[in-house]
Amino acid sequence: MLNAINKFAPFPYPLSSQQLSELNPKLHRKDLAVREDAFKRAEKYINNEAKCGAVDATISRTFKVKDTEHERIDIEIITVKVFTE
């Protein structure tokens, strides 16, 4: 796991999107290139949830990299309201 965010208050969409973007420099160029589409799908998911009024439930969402076995981007939310505007 590259990054875990532990927050106990509502977590606004702009900060959620920023946290996802901050993972990019932590990856090697090759790993980032492989996960580029997964990052785009994860960002789109966050954006769509924010437009729908946020997530207020426990969820685990995985964005797998096509034609690979282990590469992916995971979003996990554990009982906190996130992606609020």
Side-chain angles (χ1 to χ4, degrees):
M1 179 186 310
L2 285 175
N3 194 11
I5 305 164
N6 295 313
K7 299 287 179 187
F8 297 100
F11 201 65
Y13 163 71
L15 188 55
S16 306
S17 183
Q18 176 187 345
Q19 289 287 326
L20 184 63
S21 297
E22 288 176 1
L23 291 176
N24 292 347
K26 295 179 181 182
L27 292 171
H28 295 288
R29 273 186 252 159
K30 180 182 175 186
D31 293 330
L32 182 58
V34 166
R35 290 173 176 83
E36 183 178 359
D37 183 59
F39 269 109
K40 286 179 184 177
R41 288 184 285 134
E43 178 65 35
K44 183 177 179 180
Y45 171 77
I46 291 171
N47 187 34
N48 288 342
E49 292 299 327
K51 287 180 182 177
C52 291
V55 171
D56 194 9
T58 300
I59 66 160
S60 178
R61 183 73 192 251
T62 298
F63 302 91
K64 294 182 180 181
V65 176
K66 186 178 180 179
D67 299 327
T68 66
E69 190 173 331
H70 301 290
E71 285 79 9
R72 66 188 190 273
I73 303 296
D74 292 320
I75 295 178
E76 293 182 332
I77 301 163
I78 303 171
T79 62
V80 65
K81 190 168 190 168
V82 297
F83 310 145
T84 59
E85 291 198 43

Coordinates of all heavy atoms in Angstrom, one line a residue:
M1 N 0.9 -1.2 0.0 CA 0.0 0.0 0.0 C 0.9 1.2 0.0 O 1.8 1.4 0.8 CB -0.9 0.0 1.2 CG -1.8 1.2 1.3 SD -2.8 1.4 2.8 CE -3.5 -0.2 3.0
L2 N 0.7 2.1 -1.0 CA 1.5 3.3 -1.0 C 1.0 4.4 -0.1 O 1.9 5.1 0.5 CB 1.4 3.9 -2.5 CG 2.2 3.2 -3.5 CD1 2.0 3.8 -4.9 CD2 3.7 3.3 -3.2
N3 N -0.2 4.5 0.1 CA -0.7 5.6 0.9 C -2.0 5.3 1.6 O -2.9 4.7 0.9 CB -0.9 6.9 0.0 CG -1.1 8.1 0.8 OD1 -0.9 8.2 2.0 ND2 -1.5 9.2 0.1
A4 N -2.2 5.6 2.8 CA -3.4 5.4 3.5 C -3.8 6.7 4.2 O -2.9 7.4 4.7 CB -3.3 4.3 4.6
I5 N -5.0 7.1 4.1 CA -5.5 8.3 4.6 C -6.5 8.0 5.7 O -7.5 7.4 5.5 CB -6.2 9.2 3.5 CG1 -5.2 9.4 2.3 CG2 -6.7 10.5 4.1 CD1 -5.9 9.9 1.1
N6 N -6.2 8.4 6.9 CA -7.1 8.2 8.1 C -7.6 9.5 8.5 O -6.9 10.4 9.0 CB -6.3 7.6 9.2 CG -5.8 6.2 8.9 OD1 -6.5 5.4 8.4 ND2 -4.5 5.9 9.2
K7 N -8.9 9.7 8.2 CA -9.6 10.9 8.6 C -10.9 10.6 9.4 O -11.5 9.6 9.0 CB -10.0 11.8 7.4 CG -8.8 12.2 6.6 CD -8.0 13.3 7.3 CE -6.8 13.7 6.5 NZ -5.9 14.6 7.2
F8 N -11.3 11.4 10.3 CA -12.5 11.1 11.1 C -13.5 12.2 10.9 O -14.5 12.3 11.6 CB -12.1 10.9 12.5 CG -11.2 9.7 12.8 CD1 -9.9 9.9 13.0 CD2 -11.8 8.5 12.8 CE1 -9.1 8.8 13.1 CE2 -11.0 7.4 12.9 CZ -9.6 7.5 13.1
A9 N -13.3 13.1 9.9 CA -14.2 14.2 9.6 C -14.6 14.1 8.2 O -13.9 13.3 7.4 CB -13.6 15.5 9.9
P10 N -15.6 14.7 7.7 CA -15.9 14.7 6.3 C -14.7 15.1 5.5 O -13.9 15.9 5.9 CB -17.0 15.8 6.1 CG -17.7 15.8 7.4 CD -16.6 15.5 8.5
F11 N -14.5 14.4 4.4 CA -13.3 14.5 3.6 C -13.7 15.1 2.2 O -14.3 14.3 1.4 CB -12.7 13.1 3.5 CG -11.2 13.1 3.1 CD1 -10.3 13.6 3.9 CD2 -10.8 12.6 1.9 CE1 -8.9 13.6 3.6 CE2 -9.5 12.6 1.5 CZ -8.5 13.1 2.4
P12 N -13.5 16.3 2.0 CA -14.0 17.0 0.8 C -13.4 16.5 -0.5 O -12.3 16.0 -0.6 CB -13.7 18.5 1.0 CG -12.5 18.5 1.9 CD -12.7 17.2 2.8
Y13 N -14.2 16.6 -1.6 CA -13.8 16.1 -2.9 C -12.4 16.6 -3.3 O -11.6 15.9 -3.8 CB -14.8 16.4 -3.9 CG -14.3 16.3 -5.4 CD1 -14.0 15.1 -5.9 CD2 -14.2 17.5 -6.1 CE1 -13.5 15.0 -7.2 CE2 -13.7 17.4 -7.4 CZ -13.4 16.2 -7.9 OH -12.9 16.1 -9.2
P14 N -12.2 18.0 -3.3 CA -10.9 18.5 -3.7 C -9.7 17.8 -3.0 O -8.7 17.5 -3.7 CB -11.0 20.0 -3.5 CG -12.4 20.3 -3.4 CD -13.1 19.1 -2.8
L15 N -9.8 17.6 -1.7 CA -8.8 16.9 -1.0 C -8.6 15.5 -1.4 O -7.5 14.9 -1.5 CB -9.0 17.1 0.5 CG -7.9 16.6 1.4 CD1 -6.6 17.3 1.1 CD2 -8.2 16.9 2.9
S16 N -9.7 14.8 -1.6 CA -9.7 13.4 -2.1 C -9.0 13.3 -3.4 O -8.1 12.4 -3.6 CB -11.1 12.9 -2.2 OG -11.9 13.1 -1.1
S17 N -9.3 14.2 -4.3 CA -8.7 14.2 -5.7 C -7.2 14.5 -5.5 O -6.4 13.9 -6.2 CB -9.4 15.2 -6.5 OG -8.9 15.2 -7.8
Q18 N -6.9 15.4 -4.7 CA -5.5 15.8 -4.5 C -4.7 14.6 -3.9 O -3.5 14.4 -4.3 CB -5.4 17.0 -3.5 CG -4.0 17.4 -3.1 CD -4.0 18.5 -2.0 OE1 -5.0 19.1 -1.8 NE2 -2.8 18.7 -1.4
Q19 N -5.2 13.9 -2.9 CA -4.5 12.8 -2.3 C -4.3 11.7 -3.4 O -3.2 11.1 -3.4 CB -5.4 12.2 -1.2 CG -5.4 13.0 0.0 CD -4.1 13.1 0.8 OE1 -3.4 12.1 0.8 NE2 -3.8 14.2 1.4
L20 N -5.2 11.5 -4.3 CA -5.0 10.5 -5.4 C -3.8 11.0 -6.3 O -3.0 10.2 -6.6 CB -6.3 10.3 -6.2 CG -6.2 9.3 -7.3 CD1 -5.9 7.9 -6.7 CD2 -7.5 9.3 -8.1
S21 N -3.8 12.3 -6.6 CA -2.8 12.8 -7.5 C -1.4 12.8 -6.8 O -0.4 12.6 -7.5 CB -3.1 14.3 -7.8 OG -4.3 14.4 -8.6
E22 N -1.4 12.9 -5.5 CA -0.1 12.8 -4.8 C 0.5 11.4 -4.8 O 1.7 11.3 -4.5 CB -0.3 13.3 -3.4 CG -0.5 14.8 -3.3 CD -0.8 15.3 -1.9 OE1 -0.8 14.5 -0.9 OE2 -1.0 16.5 -1.7
L23 N -0.2 10.4 -5.2 CA 0.4 9.1 -5.3 C 1.3 9.0 -6.5 O 2.2 8.2 -6.5 CB -0.7 8.0 -5.4 CG -1.5 7.8 -4.2 CD1 -2.6 6.8 -4.5 CD2 -0.7 7.3 -3.0
N24 N 1.0 9.8 -7.6 CA 1.7 9.7 -8.8 C 3.2 9.8 -8.7 O 4.0 9.0 -9.2 CB 1.2 10.7 -9.8 CG -0.2 10.4 -10.3 OD1 -0.7 9.3 -10.1 ND2 -0.8 11.3 -11.0
P25 N 3.7 10.9 -8.0 CA 5.2 11.0 -7.9 C 5.8 9.9 -7.0 O 7.0 9.8 -7.1 CB 5.4 12.4 -7.2 CG 4.0 13.0 -7.2 CD 3.0 12.0 -7.4
K26 N 5.1 9.2 -6.3 CA 5.6 8.1 -5.4 C 5.9 6.9 -6.2 O 6.6 6.0 -5.7 CB 4.7 7.9 -4.2 CG 4.6 9.0 -3.3 CD 3.6 8.8 -2.1 CE 3.5 10.0 -1.2 NZ 2.7 9.7 -0.1
L27 N 5.3 6.8 -7.4 CA 5.5 5.6 -8.2 C 6.7 5.8 -9.2 O 7.0 7.0 -9.6 CB 4.3 5.3 -9.1 CG 3.0 4.9 -8.3 CD1 1.8 4.9 -9.2 CD2 3.3 3.5 -7.7
H28 N 7.4 4.7 -9.6 CA 8.4 4.8 -10.6 C 7.6 5.1 -11.9 O 6.5 4.8 -12.1 CB 9.1 3.5 -10.7 CG 9.9 3.2 -9.5 ND1 11.1 3.9 -9.2 CD2 9.8 2.3 -8.5 CE1 11.6 3.4 -8.1 NE2 10.8 2.4 -7.6
R29 N 8.4 5.7 -12.9 CA 7.7 6.1 -14.2 C 7.1 4.9 -14.8 O 6.0 5.0 -15.4 CB 8.8 6.7 -15.1 CG 8.9 8.2 -14.9 CD 9.8 8.7 -15.9 NE 11.0 9.1 -15.2 CZ 12.2 9.3 -15.8 NH1 12.3 9.1 -17.1 NH2 13.3 9.6 -15.1
K30 N 7.7 3.7 -14.8 CA 7.2 2.5 -15.4 C 5.8 2.1 -14.8 O 4.8 1.8 -15.4 CB 8.1 1.4 -15.4 CG 7.7 0.1 -16.0 CD 8.7 -1.0 -15.8 CE 8.1 -2.3 -16.4 NZ 9.0 -3.4 -16.1
D31 N 5.8 2.1 -13.4 CA 4.6 1.8 -12.7 C 3.5 2.8 -12.9 O 2.3 2.4 -13.0 CB 4.9 1.7 -11.2 CG 5.8 0.5 -10.8 OD1 5.8 -0.5 -11.6 OD2 6.6 0.6 -9.9
L32 N 3.9 4.0 -13.0 CA 2.9 5.1 -13.2 C 2.3 4.9 -14.6 O 1.0 5.0 -14.8 CB 3.5 6.5 -13.1 CG 2.5 7.6 -13.3 CD1 1.4 7.6 -12.3 CD2 3.3 8.9 -13.1
A33 N 3.1 4.6 -15.6 CA 2.6 4.4 -17.0 C 1.6 3.3 -17.1 O 0.6 3.3 -17.7 CB 3.8 4.2 -17.9
V34 N 2.0 2.2 -16.4 CA 1.1 1.0 -16.4 C -0.2 1.3 -15.7 O -1.3 0.8 -16.2 CB 1.8 -0.2 -15.6 CG1 0.8 -1.3 -15.3 CG2 3.0 -0.7 -16.4
R35 N -0.2 2.1 -14.7 CA -1.5 2.4 -14.0 C -2.2 3.7 -14.4 O -3.2 4.1 -13.8 CB -1.1 2.6 -12.5 CG -0.7 1.3 -11.8 CD -0.2 1.5 -10.4 NE 0.0 0.3 -9.7 CZ 1.2 -0.4 -9.8 NH1 2.1 0.1 -10.6 NH2 1.4 -1.5 -9.1
E36 N -1.8 4.3 -15.5 CA -2.4 5.6 -16.0 C -3.9 5.5 -16.1 O -4.6 6.3 -15.7 CB -1.7 6.0 -17.3 CG -2.2 7.3 -17.8 CD -1.5 7.8 -19.0 OE1 -0.6 7.1 -19.5 OE2 -1.9 8.9 -19.5
D37 N -4.3 4.4 -16.8 CA -5.8 4.3 -17.1 C -6.5 4.0 -15.7 O -7.6 4.5 -15.5 CB -6.1 3.1 -18.1 CG -7.5 3.0 -18.4 OD1 -8.1 4.0 -18.8 OD2 -8.1 1.9 -18.1
A38 N -5.9 3.2 -14.9 CA -6.5 2.9 -13.6 C -6.7 4.2 -12.7 O -7.7 4.4 -12.1 CB -5.8 1.9 -12.8
F39 N -5.7 5.1 -12.8 CA -5.8 6.4 -12.1 C -6.9 7.2 -12.7 O -7.6 7.9 -11.9 CB -4.4 7.2 -12.2 CG -3.5 6.9 -11.0 CD1 -2.3 6.2 -11.2 CD2 -3.8 7.4 -9.8 CE1 -1.5 5.9 -10.2 CE2 -2.9 7.1 -8.7 CZ -1.7 6.4 -8.9
K40 N -7.0 7.2 -14.0 CA -8.1 8.0 -14.6 C -9.5 7.5 -14.2 O -10.4 8.3 -13.9 CB -8.0 8.0 -16.2 CG -6.8 8.8 -16.7 CD -6.7 8.7 -18.2 CE -5.5 9.5 -18.7 NZ -5.4 9.3 -20.2
R41 N -9.6 6.2 -14.2 CA -10.9 5.6 -13.8 C -11.2 5.9 -12.3 O -12.3 6.2 -11.9 CB -10.9 4.1 -14.1 CG -11.0 3.8 -15.6 CD -11.2 2.4 -15.9 NE -9.8 1.7 -15.7 CZ -9.6 0.6 -15.1 NH1 -10.6 -0.1 -14.5 NH2 -8.4 0.1 -14.9
A42 N -10.2 5.9 -11.4 CA -10.3 6.2 -10.0 C -10.8 7.6 -9.8 O -11.7 7.9 -9.1 CB -9.1 5.9 -9.2
E43 N -10.1 8.5 -10.6 CA -10.5 9.9 -10.5 C -11.9 10.2 -11.0 O -12.6 10.9 -10.4 CB -9.5 10.8 -11.3 CG -9.8 12.2 -11.4 CD -9.6 12.9 -10.0 OE1 -8.8 12.5 -9.2 OE2 -10.4 13.8 -9.7
K44 N -12.3 9.5 -12.1 CA -13.6 9.6 -12.6 C -14.6 9.1 -11.5 O -15.7 9.7 -11.3 CB -13.8 8.8 -13.9 CG -15.1 9.0 -14.5 CD -15.2 8.2 -15.8 CE -16.6 8.3 -16.4 NZ -16.7 7.6 -17.7
Y45 N -14.3 8.0 -10.9 CA -15.2 7.5 -9.8 C -15.4 8.5 -8.7 O -16.5 8.8 -8.3 CB -14.6 6.2 -9.3 CG -15.3 5.7 -8.1 CD1 -16.6 5.0 -8.2 CD2 -14.8 5.8 -6.8 CE1 -17.3 4.6 -7.1 CE2 -15.5 5.4 -5.7 CZ -16.7 4.8 -5.8 OH -17.4 4.3 -4.7
I46 N -14.3 9.1 -8.2 CA -14.3 10.1 -7.1 C -15.2 11.3 -7.6 O -16.1 11.8 -6.9 CB -12.9 10.5 -6.7 CG1 -12.2 9.4 -6.0 CG2 -13.0 11.8 -5.8 CD1 -10.7 9.6 -5.8
N47 N -15.0 11.7 -8.8 CA -15.7 12.9 -9.3 C -17.2 12.6 -9.4 O -18.0 13.4 -9.0 CB -15.2 13.3 -10.7 CG -15.8 14.5 -11.3 OD1 -16.1 15.5 -10.5 ND2 -15.9 14.6 -12.6
N48 N -17.6 11.4 -9.9 CA -19.0 11.0 -10.1 C -19.6 10.9 -8.7 O -20.8 11.3 -8.5 CB -19.1 9.7 -10.8 CG -18.8 9.8 -12.3 OD1 -18.9 10.9 -12.8 ND2 -18.5 8.7 -12.9
E49 N -18.9 10.3 -7.7 CA -19.5 10.2 -6.4 C -19.7 11.6 -5.8 O -20.7 11.8 -5.1 CB -18.6 9.3 -5.5 CG -18.6 7.9 -5.9 CD -20.0 7.2 -5.8 OE1 -20.8 7.5 -5.0 OE2 -20.2 6.3 -6.7
A50 N -18.8 12.5 -6.0 CA -18.9 13.8 -5.4 C -20.2 14.5 -6.0 O -20.9 15.2 -5.3 CB -17.7 14.7 -5.7
K51 N -20.4 14.4 -7.3 CA -21.6 15.0 -8.0 C -22.9 14.4 -7.5 O -23.9 15.0 -7.5 CB -21.5 14.8 -9.5 CG -20.4 15.6 -10.2 CD -20.4 15.4 -11.7 CE -19.3 16.2 -12.3 NZ -19.2 15.9 -13.8
C52 N -22.8 13.1 -7.0 CA -24.0 12.4 -6.5 C -24.3 12.7 -5.1 O -25.2 12.1 -4.5 CB -23.9 10.9 -6.8 SG -24.0 10.5 -8.5
G53 N -23.5 13.5 -4.4 CA -23.7 13.8 -3.0 C -22.8 13.1 -2.1 O -23.2 13.0 -0.9
A54 N -21.7 12.6 -2.5 CA -20.7 11.9 -1.6 C -21.0 10.5 -1.3 O -22.1 9.9 -1.7 CB -20.6 12.7 -0.3
V55 N -20.1 9.8 -0.6 CA -20.2 8.4 -0.2 C -20.3 8.5 1.3 O -19.5 9.1 2.0 CB -19.0 7.6 -0.6 CG1 -19.0 6.3 0.0 CG2 -18.9 7.6 -2.1
D56 N -21.3 7.8 1.8 CA -21.5 7.7 3.3 C -21.7 6.3 3.7 O -22.7 5.9 4.3 CB -22.7 8.6 3.7 CG -22.8 8.8 5.2 OD1 -21.8 8.5 5.9 OD2 -23.8 9.3 5.6
A57 N -20.8 5.4 3.3 CA -20.9 4.0 3.5 C -19.5 3.4 3.4 O -18.6 4.0 2.9 CB -21.8 3.3 2.5
T58 N -19.4 2.2 3.9 CA -18.2 1.4 3.8 C -18.1 0.8 2.4 O -19.0 0.1 2.0 CB -18.1 0.3 4.8 OG1 -18.1 0.9 6.1 CG2 -16.8 -0.5 4.7
I59 N -17.0 1.1 1.6 CA -16.9 0.6 0.3 C -15.4 0.2 0.0 O -14.5 0.7 0.7 CB -17.4 1.5 -0.8 CG1 -16.5 2.7 -0.9 CG2 -18.8 1.9 -0.7 CD1 -16.5 3.5 -2.2
S60 N -15.2 -0.7 -0.9 CA -13.9 -1.0 -1.4 C -14.0 -1.1 -2.9 O -14.8 -1.9 -3.4 CB -13.4 -2.3 -0.8 OG -12.1 -2.7 -1.3
R61 N -13.3 -0.3 -3.6 CA -13.3 -0.2 -5.0 C -11.9 -0.4 -5.6 O -11.0 0.2 -5.2 CB -13.9 1.1 -5.4 CG -14.1 1.3 -6.9 CD -15.3 0.5 -7.4 NE -15.4 0.5 -8.8 CZ -16.3 1.1 -9.5 NH1 -17.2 1.8 -9.0 NH2 -16.2 1.0 -10.8
T62 N -11.8 -1.4 -6.5 CA -10.5 -1.7 -7.2 C -10.6 -1.3 -8.6 O -11.5 -1.7 -9.3 CB -10.2 -3.1 -7.0 OG1 -10.0 -3.4 -5.5 CG2 -8.9 -3.5 -7.7
F63 N -9.6 -0.6 -9.1 CA -9.4 -0.3 -10.5 C -8.2 -1.1 -11.0 O -7.1 -0.7 -10.9 CB -9.3 1.2 -10.7 CG -10.4 2.0 -10.1 CD1 -10.4 2.4 -8.8 CD2 -11.6 2.2 -10.9 CE1 -11.5 3.1 -8.3 CE2 -12.7 2.9 -10.4 CZ -12.6 3.3 -9.1
K64 N -8.5 -2.2 -11.7 CA -7.4 -3.1 -12.1 C -6.8 -2.6 -13.4 O -7.5 -2.0 -14.2 CB -8.0 -4.5 -12.3 CG -8.4 -5.2 -11.0 CD -8.9 -6.6 -11.3 CE -9.3 -7.2 -10.0 NZ -9.8 -8.6 -10.2
V65 N -5.5 -3.0 -13.6 CA -4.8 -2.7 -14.8 C -5.0 -3.8 -15.7 O -4.7 -5.0 -15.4 CB -3.3 -2.4 -14.5 CG1 -2.6 -2.2 -15.8 CG2 -3.2 -1.2 -13.6
K66 N -5.5 -3.6 -16.9 CA -5.8 -4.6 -17.9 C -4.5 -5.4 -18.2 O -3.4 -4.9 -18.3 CB -6.3 -3.9 -19.2 CG -6.8 -4.9 -20.2 CD -7.3 -4.2 -21.4 CE -7.8 -5.2 -22.5 NZ -8.4 -4.6 -23.6
D67 N -4.7 -6.7 -18.4 CA -3.6 -7.6 -18.8 C -2.5 -7.7 -17.7 O -1.4 -8.1 -18.1 CB -3.0 -7.3 -20.1 CG -4.1 -7.3 -21.2 OD1 -5.0 -8.2 -21.2 OD2 -4.0 -6.5 -22.2
T68 N -2.8 -7.4 -16.5 CA -1.8 -7.7 -15.4 C -2.5 -8.4 -14.3 O -3.7 -8.5 -14.2 CB -1.3 -6.3 -14.8 OG1 -2.3 -5.7 -14.2 CG2 -0.6 -5.5 -15.9
E69 N -1.7 -9.0 -13.5 CA -2.2 -9.8 -12.4 C -2.4 -9.1 -11.1 O -3.4 -9.2 -10.4 CB -1.3 -11.0 -12.1 CG -1.9 -12.1 -11.2 CD -1.1 -13.3 -11.1 OE1 -0.4 -13.7 -12.1 OE2 -1.1 -14.0 -10.0
H70 N -1.5 -8.2 -10.8 CA -1.5 -7.5 -9.5 C -1.6 -6.0 -9.5 O -1.9 -5.4 -8.4 CB -0.2 -7.9 -8.7 CG 0.0 -9.4 -8.5 ND1 -0.8 -10.1 -7.7 CD2 0.8 -10.2 -9.1 CE1 -0.4 -11.4 -7.7 NE2 0.5 -11.5 -8.6
E71 N -1.3 -5.4 -10.6 CA -1.3 -3.9 -10.6 C -2.7 -3.4 -10.6 O -3.6 -3.8 -11.3 CB -0.6 -3.4 -11.9 CG 0.9 -3.5 -11.8 CD 1.4 -4.9 -12.1 OE1 0.6 -5.7 -12.5 OE2 2.6 -5.1 -11.9
R72 N -3.0 -2.4 -9.7 CA -4.3 -1.8 -9.5 C -4.2 -0.6 -8.7 O -3.2 -0.3 -8.0 CB -5.2 -2.9 -8.8 CG -4.8 -3.1 -7.4 CD -5.6 -4.3 -6.8 NE -5.3 -4.4 -5.4 CZ -4.3 -5.1 -4.8 NH1 -3.5 -5.7 -5.6 NH2 -4.2 -5.1 -3.5
I73 N -5.3 0.1 -8.6 CA -5.5 1.3 -7.7 C -6.7 0.9 -6.9 O -7.8 0.6 -7.4 CB -5.8 2.6 -8.5 CG1 -4.7 2.9 -9.5 CG2 -6.1 3.7 -7.6 CD1 -3.4 3.2 -8.9
D74 N -6.6 1.0 -5.6 CA -7.7 0.7 -4.6 C -8.1 1.9 -3.9 O -7.3 2.8 -3.5 CB -7.2 -0.3 -3.6 CG -6.9 -1.7 -4.1 OD1 -7.6 -2.1 -5.0 OD2 -5.9 -2.3 -3.7
I75 N -9.5 2.1 -3.8 CA -10.1 3.1 -3.0 C -10.9 2.4 -1.9 O -11.8 1.6 -2.2 CB -10.9 4.0 -3.8 CG1 -10.1 4.8 -4.8 CG2 -11.7 5.0 -2.9 CD1 -10.9 5.7 -5.7
E76 N -10.6 2.6 -0.6 CA -11.3 2.0 0.5 C -11.8 3.1 1.4 O -11.1 4.0 1.7 CB -10.4 1.1 1.3 CG -10.0 -0.1 0.5 CD -9.2 -1.1 1.3 OE1 -8.5 -0.7 2.2 OE2 -9.2 -2.3 1.0
I77 N -13.1 3.0 1.7 CA -13.7 4.0 2.6 C -14.4 3.2 3.7 O -15.2 2.3 3.5 CB -14.8 4.8 1.8 CG1 -14.1 5.5 0.7 CG2 -15.5 5.8 2.8 CD1 -15.1 6.1 -0.3
I78 N -14.0 3.6 4.9 CA -14.5 2.9 6.1 C -15.2 3.8 7.0 O -14.7 4.6 7.7 CB -13.3 2.2 6.9 CG1 -12.5 1.3 5.9 CG2 -13.8 1.5 8.1 CD1 -11.3 0.8 6.5
T79 N -16.5 3.8 6.9 CA -17.5 4.5 7.7 C -17.1 6.0 8.0 O -17.1 6.4 9.1 CB -17.8 3.8 9.0 OG1 -16.5 3.7 9.8 CG2 -18.4 2.5 8.8
V80 N -16.9 6.7 6.9 CA -16.7 8.2 7.0 C -17.3 8.8 5.8 O -17.2 8.2 4.7 CB -15.2 8.6 7.2 CG1 -14.4 8.2 6.1 CG2 -15.1 10.0 7.6
K81 N -17.9 10.0 5.9 CA -18.4 10.6 4.7 C -17.3 11.3 3.9 O -16.5 12.1 4.5 CB -19.5 11.7 5.1 CG -20.2 12.2 3.9 CD -21.4 13.0 4.4 CE -22.3 13.3 3.2 NZ -23.6 13.8 3.6
V82 N -17.2 10.9 2.6 CA -16.1 11.5 1.8 C -16.6 12.0 0.5 O -17.7 11.8 0.1 CB -15.0 10.4 1.5 CG1 -14.3 9.9 2.8 CG2 -15.6 9.2 0.8
F83 N -15.7 12.7 -0.2 CA -16.0 13.2 -1.6 C -17.1 14.3 -1.5 O -18.0 14.4 -2.3 CB -16.4 12.2 -2.6 CG -15.4 11.0 -2.7 CD1 -15.9 9.7 -3.0 CD2 -14.1 11.2 -2.5 CE1 -15.0 8.7 -3.1 CE2 -13.2 10.1 -2.6 CZ -13.7 8.9 -2.9
T84 N -17.2 15.0 -0.4 CA -18.2 16.0 -0.2 C -17.7 17.3 -1.0 O -16.6 17.5 -1.2 CB -18.4 16.4 1.3 OG1 -17.2 16.8 1.8 CG2 -18.9 15.2 2.0
E85 N -18.7 18.1 -1.4 CA -18.3 19.3 -2.1 C -18.4 20.5 -1.1 O -18.9 20.5 -0.1 CB -19.3 19.6 -3.2 CG -19.1 18.6 -4.3 CD -19.7 19.0 -5.6 OE1 -19.5 20.2 -6.0 OE2 -20.3 18.1 -6.3

